[in-house]
Amino acid sequence: MIDVLVRLYPAAYRAACGQEIVDVHREMTTGMPWAVRLRADADLAAHALRVRMRLDSASSAGQLLALAAPFALAAAAVDSGLRLTRWYAGLVHSPAPVRVQLSTMEGRWTLYLLLSLLVCVGAIIALTGRWVLGVGVAACGLLGTAAQWTVTPHLYGDGVDTPVAALLTVVVVLACPPDRRGDRRLSAAAGAMAAAAWFPVVVVDTRAFGVTTDYGAWPMLVLAFTGAALALRARSSGLREIGAMAVASPSLIAYAYTDASLEPLPVLGILLALPVTVLLTALFHAVRRQH
C-alpha cells in the first residue's frame, strides 16, 4: 500500500525523498491498529497530492489558501447566520403565535435551519482554536446545504450560486496546508470581519433601523476592507491579501447576488468591490512608500 501512495508524489520529489518517506511511514505504523494505519495512509496521500498540486505551505498557492481559509469559514458563517436571523425575525414579527409557527414548520425548513446552524457553530469552533473539529462541523453543514439544494432548490433562491458557493468554501478550507491552519491572528481577524458583516444587517432585518441601501453589498464590502487592512498592516501592495479575500468570497457573493434581486447598480458595485479595493490599497501603499 505504501508503495502505491508514494507514487502519488511527483517523480523528482519521489526520487529525492521516496525511500525516507517509506521507512518513516512503516516505522510509525508497524503494530498499530488498522484505524490508525488507515488515517496515516490518508494523511500521506493528502500530503502527496498537496506536493503534486503545489499546495504546500512553501508555495504561493498554499500561502494564499492559508490566508483565505479562515475568512472563507467566516464568510460562510455570515451567510448562514443571516439566514438564521432572518428566519427568527420573521418568526417574531409574524402575528401567529410562535408555538403554532414552530409546530407547523415543515421538515425541509427544519433541515435548512439545522444546516445553517452547523455552519455557524463549526466556524465559531474553528476560529476559536479547535480548527479540525470546527471545519468538520462546518463542512457537514455546507455539504448538506449543497445536497438539500438538489432536492428543494427554492429554499435558497434562484440559480446555483448557493450550492456552488458551499462547495467552493469546503474546497478552500480543506486545501489549507495543515501546518498553516488555525493561525490565531488570522482567526481573530476573520471573527471580527464576520461580526462586522453580520450585525448591521441583522439590525436592519429586525427593523431596529428602518432605512437601508445595503442590497446585499455590506458583507462583501466588509470582506474587501478587511483585505485592505491586512495589506496595510503588512505594508504590501494588497494583491495577495485581496486575492485571498476573493478566494474566500463565494458565500458572500452568493448572498449578495440573491439579496440584490439582480438590480444592476448593486450587482455592479458588488463585482467591483474587490478590484477597486486592491487599486486603492496599491495607491495608498505607493504614496506611503514615497514618504
Side-chain angles (χ1 to χ4, degrees), residues 29-61:
T29 57
T30 299
M32 302 299 288
W34 69 269
V36 176
R37 294 198 305 271
L38 183 62
R39 179 173 179 178
D41 289 345
D43 290 341
L44 182 62
H47 181 257
L49 293 175
R50 289 182 187 281
V51 173
R52 180 173 288 276
M53 294 186 293
R54 298 183 180 179
L55 293 179
D56 57 313
S57 58
S59 67
S60 298

Side-chain angles (χ1 to χ4, degrees), residues 1 29 78 91 101 105 119 130-131 170 205 222 227-228 237 240 277-278 283:
M1 182 65 178
T29 57
V78 171
L91 185 73
Q101 295 183 67
M105 183 182 296
V119 176
R130 304 190 66 181
W131 180 267
V170 172
D205 288 345
V222 172
S237 65
R240 186 171 72 92
T277 303
V278 73
L283 289 174

Side-chain angles (χ1 to χ4, degrees), residues 41-259:
D41 289 345
D43 290 341
L44 182 62
H47 181 257
L49 293 175
R50 289 182 187 281
V51 173
R52 180 173 288 276
M53 294 186 293
R54 298 183 180 179
L55 293 179
D56 57 313
S57 58
S59 67
S60 298
Q63 293 172 11
L64 183 72
L65 288 169
L67 180 57
F71 293 97
L73 265 182
V78 171
D79 179 35
S80 297
L82 290 174
R83 292 184 209 160
L84 289 171
T85 51
R86 286 186 172 180
W87 166 79
Y88 180 75
L91 185 73
V92 170
H93 291 119
S94 174
V98 172
R99 182 179 301 178
V100 173
Q101 295 183 67
L102 294 177
S103 64
T104 57
M105 183 182 296
E106 298 180 7
R108 56 187 178 180
W109 274 104
T110 302
L111 179 59
Y112 171 89
L113 297 172
L114 176 61
L115 293 172
S116 299
L117 183 61
L118 283 177
V119 176
C120 293
V121 171
I124 292 171
I125 294 173
L127 296 177
T128 53
R130 304 190 66 181
W131 180 267
V132 175
L133 174 62
V135 166
V137 173
C140 288
L142 290 167
L143 293 175
T145 295
Q148 187 185 30
W149 178 90
T150 63
V151 180
T152 53
H154 63 278
L155 292 179
Y156 300 93
D158 297 328
V160 297
D161 44 304
T162 296
V164 169
L167 294 176
L168 288 176
T169 300
V170 172
V171 170
V172 170
V173 174
L174 294 182
C176 175
D179 57 336
R180 298 290 297 274
R181 293 171 179 169
D183 182 279
R184 290 186 178 182
R185 181 180 64 86
L186 291 178
S187 294
M193 182 279 295
W198 171 79
F199 184 72
V201 181
V202 172
V203 171
V204 172
D205 288 345
T206 54
R207 303 177 190 174
F209 184 70
V211 179
T212 178
T213 56
D214 171 27
Y215 298 111
W218 173 253
M220 192 66 190
L221 291 175
V222 172
L223 184 67
F225 292 152
T226 301
L230 291 176
L232 294 174
R233 182 184 178 117
R235 295 181 177 273
S236 73
S237 65
L239 288 174
R240 186 171 72 92
E241 289 79 8
I242 303 299
M245 298 306 109
V247 173
S249 66
S251 293
L252 297 187
I253 291 177
Y255 161 77
Y257 183 78
T258 302
D259 203 60

